[in-house]
Amino acid sequence: MLNLKRIITAMVLWPAAVVAQDISFDVKGENSDLAAALRSASLVLATSADENPDPQDYIAAARADYRRLLTALYGRGYYSGVISISVDGREASSIAPLAAPARINAITLRVDPGPVFRFGDTDISPTASGTLLPESFARGQTAAANVVGQAVTAAVDAWRDTGHAKAARIGQSITAQHAAQELNVRVAIAPGPQLTFGDVSVTGNAAVRTDRIVAIAGLPVGETFSPAALKKAEQRLRETGAFDSVTTTEAKVIGPNDTLPIVLNVAERKPRRFGFGLELSSIEGIKVSSFWLHRNFLGGAERFRVDGEISGIGGETGGVDYTIGLNLERPAVYGPDTDGFIRSQLSREDEPDYRVEQFAIEAGLTRVIADDLVAEIGVGFLTARDVTDLGTRDYTLVTFPISATLDRRDVPTNATDGYYLDLETTPFFDTANDVVGARMFADARAYRSVGADEQLTLAGRLQVGSLLGTSIQSAPADFLFYSGGGGTVRGQPYKSLAIDDLVGGQAVRTGGQSFVGAQLEARYAVSDTIGLVGFYDVGQVSADAGFDNNTGWHAGAGVGIRYNTGIGPIRLDIGTPASGANIAKSVQVYIGIGQSF
């Protein structure tokens, strides 16, 4: 049975629910880019895409579109445009905001952009020495409104870069000459006095001490004001990991002796964090790792981290390995760009050719030389026992590790462009055996995306290592080099390339004193989340430090798939030997998070 009350209610409400049946948009001329920009600016068109717009929505959108469309015209140099928006034959501007009709049948938008205007006279003054105004802000160039704003911003920023923090626009004259189709622009700038950094205060902190925040920020009080110094201070504080947000606020009033007080506004992050990782290799087995982190351990944004890792579970590469590490980092121990650290590690590494049980502790400094260049120096103490084919040996080393890292990748966890270079050298002294040597290692990576949509990324990695000043027989077993497995040559068995020799008539197998390896990948983005990879890896191990006495080389090749997530791509690689007698006769599987390099 029909519900008569519902039918009557629907008939009464139906006229108010009916909205525009036809929306047309006409732009005079043949400039498709301009037409697209105007359509994107139209609120009427955006409203028509809503699920249930009503007439009042359309009237409000139409009245707003006059300004929105005019702004879009000005943004492309059209200053004599004519805009008409009619609602069922009535100009939308003549309809009161709250007097929308009950029914709208058609809305028509017509735009006659008129001619393009060019810049005539252009003047912004005074300007600081070295000011670079946009090249498009010149006589004869298209007089886009946003170019004027860019030019004013460039002029003000140039003054601020020279210490005039209160530089501002104080007047302007913008005149459109319709007969000549020109736009004349004159802007007056007031530089204000050159200022120096004044007192620095902090707001928003509760657990992190104010004096430590000021020290980490490193604003040069008493030196000439610089916007770059403000950005650097914010960056230093963010990089501690102790804050969710960091901003700087310049005082509105200039302080005594032309100083500018600065306020550091911080919002603290929850201090504790826990995480874990999982990797799987068909040969190397399962690796499980976990960490616990405190971002403000002693109240000065110190980072204290405990790491644990177990690997080789169910693998074919010896026994189970473990590592327990403690790491304490204190920012700004010697100026804002030098951090201090203390690290300790207890580990056991059970490999097919050796077993090492080790305790190490190290202290040192990390120096940020540039945003993409970091150097580190330290001194360490290491005591260990290793068991190899050469016998069992206890040793104690004093080490002096030095490293430098240059990172110019666009996205470190999933790079598509740029390069990365890491150089390490660890001089050491064996206190028990009077052995002096140095282990050196270099890791270089490069990335380049090609194609119209840059879906194909070519990636390459080169690794070179050498052990100087000692021999294989006297070197720590884990200082020697092997090749094969996920970190060197995928598809080849883990650490399968080594040195086979006879010592006292007995066959022994050890690592080499030098290593060189290369990894090549072609990564193709099928979609935003799925990627395919083809790879080819090669490695060589030598018995001496000069790469002369080598054991030959081996190679591996394969394919992989990537699934992009918020924390980096999930990686699945399948490799097989590409050299020797076992070409394509076995398969190795590698699963992990992040690109292989």
Side-chain angles (χ1 to χ4, degrees):
M1 181 176 180
L2 296 176
N3 190 320
L4 183 60
K5 182 178 179 181
R6 289 186 179 179
I7 294 174
I8 294 173
T9 302
M11 292 177 66
V12 170
L13 295 178
W14 176 76
V18 174
V19 296
Q21 300 300 307
D22 181 55
I23 298 177
S24 60
F25 199 122
D26 178 49
V27 180
K28 187 176 181 179
E30 298 181 355
N31 190 330
S32 59
D33 290 339
L34 174 63
L38 291 169
R39 287 178 175 273
S40 296
S42 172
L43 197 57
V44 168
L45 294 183
T47 300
S48 69
D50 292 344
E51 186 173 348
N52 292 305
D54 57 39
Q56 184 61 55
D57 294 333
Y58 275 115
I59 295 302
R63 291 176 62 86
D65 265 359
Y66 288 103
R67 178 177 292 276
R68 294 171 66 90
L69 296 176
L70 189 64
T71 300
L73 288 172
Y74 285 177
R76 284 154 182 81
Y78 295 89
Y79 294 90
S80 60
V82 178
I83 300 170
S84 173
I85 304 174
S86 64
V87 179
D88 287 338
R90 295 176 61 192
E91 196 66 28
S93 59
S94 68
I95 303 174
L98 299 179
R103 175 186 175 88
I104 297 176
N105 293 312
I107 299 178
T108 303
L109 300 92
R110 295 186 180 91
V111 180
D112 181 357
V116 176
F117 279 56
R118 307 288 175 178
F119 282 118
D121 295 331
T122 57
D123 178 68
I124 297 180
S125 61
T127 55
S129 176
T131 300
L132 295 177
L133 298 178
E135 293 182 359
S136 53
F137 185 69
R139 178 179 291 275
Q141 298 292 323
T142 299
N146 63 317
V147 172
V148 177
Q150 292 169 4
V152 173
T153 299
V156 171
D157 287 348
W159 278 114
R160 284 175 54 81
D161 288 340
T162 58
H164 296 262
K166 296 302 180 182
R169 173 176 54 188
I170 59 172
Q172 68 179 26
S173 173
I174 301 178
T175 306
Q177 301 289 341
H178 288 267
Q181 298 172 12
E182 285 186 345
L183 192 72
N184 298 320
V185 180
R186 288 183 173 83
V187 179
I189 303 291
Q194 188 180 61
L195 305 179
T196 58
F197 282 111
D199 294 336
V200 179
S201 57
V202 180
T203 64
N205 60 312
V208 185
R209 299 194 307 274
T210 297
D211 63 320
R212 290 297 300 148
I213 293 175
V214 173
I216 294 166
L219 283 172
V221 175
E223 296 185 13
T224 302
F225 170 84
S226 166
L230 291 180
K231 292 181 181 179
K232 186 63 177 178
E234 294 175 357
Q235 178 183 338
R236 291 183 183 119
L237 288 168
R238 291 191 192 101
E239 288 177 347
T240 65
F243 307 101
D244 274 325
S245 67
V246 179
T247 59
T248 54
T249 303
E250 302 168 23
K252 295 181 179 180
V253 179
I254 297 175
N257 303 316
D258 288 339
T259 59
L260 185 65
I262 302 294
V263 179
L264 299 171
N265 312 288
V266 301
E268 294 179 348
R269 180 176 292 179
K270 291 182 178 180
R272 296 170 184 83
R273 182 185 175 194
F274 173 81
F276 70 93
L278 177 66
E279 291 190 24
L280 171 66
S281 166
S282 58
I283 297 298
E284 298 166 46
I286 299 173
K287 179 169 71 175
V288 180
S289 60
S290 183
F291 72 87
W292 178 86
L293 172 67
H294 197 298
R295 299 185 176 98
N296 186 36
F297 190 60
L298 301 175
E302 299 87 357
R303 292 169 60 88
F304 179 64
R305 176 167 171 146
V306 181
D307 286 275
E309 178 181 292
I310 300 177
S311 59
I313 303 172
E316 302 174 12
T317 58
V320 174
D321 306 331
Y322 68 81
T323 300
I324 300 173
L326 305 179
N327 185 10
L328 177 63
E329 299 177 1
R330 187 174 193 267
V333 297
Y334 187 71
D337 293 320
T338 304
D339 300 343
F341 64 84
I342 299 175
R343 301 167 185 160
S344 64
Q345 180 175 287
L346 178 66
S347 63
R348 180 180 188 270
E349 191 175 1
D350 191 351
E351 301 296 333
D353 297 330
Y354 64 87
R355 185 177 72 250
V356 176
E357 297 172 347
Q358 181 184 104
F359 172 76
I361 188 168
E362 179 183 324
L365 301 173
T366 301
R367 175 75 176 181
V368 179
I369 300 172
D371 288 343
D372 54 12
L373 179 59
V374 178
E376 189 172 286
I377 186 170
V379 58
F381 173 84
L382 182 155
T383 182
R385 166 175 290 181
D386 65 31
V387 180
T388 69
D389 290 345
L390 297 171
T392 300
R393 187 164 64 103
D394 295 323
Y395 56 90
T396 299
L397 305 182
V398 178
T399 61
F400 304 93
I402 304 170
S403 66
T405 302
L406 178 64
D407 192 348
R408 292 184 176 173
R409 296 172 291 183
D410 55 350
V411 182
T413 58
N414 191 12
T416 60
D417 192 36
Y419 59 91
Y420 169 93
L421 179 62
D422 181 59
L423 303 176
E424 302 175 7
T425 180
T426 305
F428 63 87
F429 171 64
D430 187 337
T431 59
N433 301 296
D434 293 329
V435 174
V436 177
R439 190 181 195 271
M440 306 179 70
F441 191 78
D443 184 355
R445 312 173 191 181
Y447 311 84
R448 178 69 181 274
S449 294
V450 297
D453 298 325
E454 296 189 340
Q455 288 179 276
L456 178 63
T457 299
L458 304 177
R461 181 184 192 184
L462 176 66
Q463 299 178 85
V464 180
S466 186
L467 184 61
L468 308 176
T470 184
S471 64
I472 288 179
Q473 289 76 20
S474 58
D478 58 337
F479 276 30
L480 298 172
F481 298 95
Y482 294 82
S483 182
T488 52
V489 178
R490 289 163 290 181
Q492 292 286 354
Y494 179 68
K495 292 189 175 180
S496 57
L497 189 61
I499 303 299
D500 294 302
D501 201 356
L502 288 175
V503 176
Q506 179 183 357
V508 297
R509 181 179 172 86
T510 67
Q513 282 193 247
S514 59
F515 163 76
V516 60
Q519 294 178 303
L520 302 174
E521 286 192 352
R523 305 170 182 170
Y524 184 77
V526 178
S527 67
D528 291 339
T529 55
I530 301 296
L532 300 178
V533 174
F535 61 85
Y536 181 84
D537 303 342
V538 62
Q540 174 185 298
V541 174
S542 300
D544 56 38
F547 301 93
D548 296 326
N549 185 14
N550 65 76
T551 63
W553 61 280
H554 65 174
V559 296
I561 190 169
R562 304 290 185 266
Y563 180 79
N564 290 324
T565 69
I567 59 174
I570 296 175
R571 178 181 78 252
L572 168 63
D573 286 337
I574 300 174
T576 187
S579 66
N582 294 322
I583 294 178
K585 291 184 178 180
S586 64
V587 170
Q588 315 285 340
V589 178
Y590 310 90
I591 299 174
I593 297 177
Q595 294 286 4
S596 56
F597 62 89

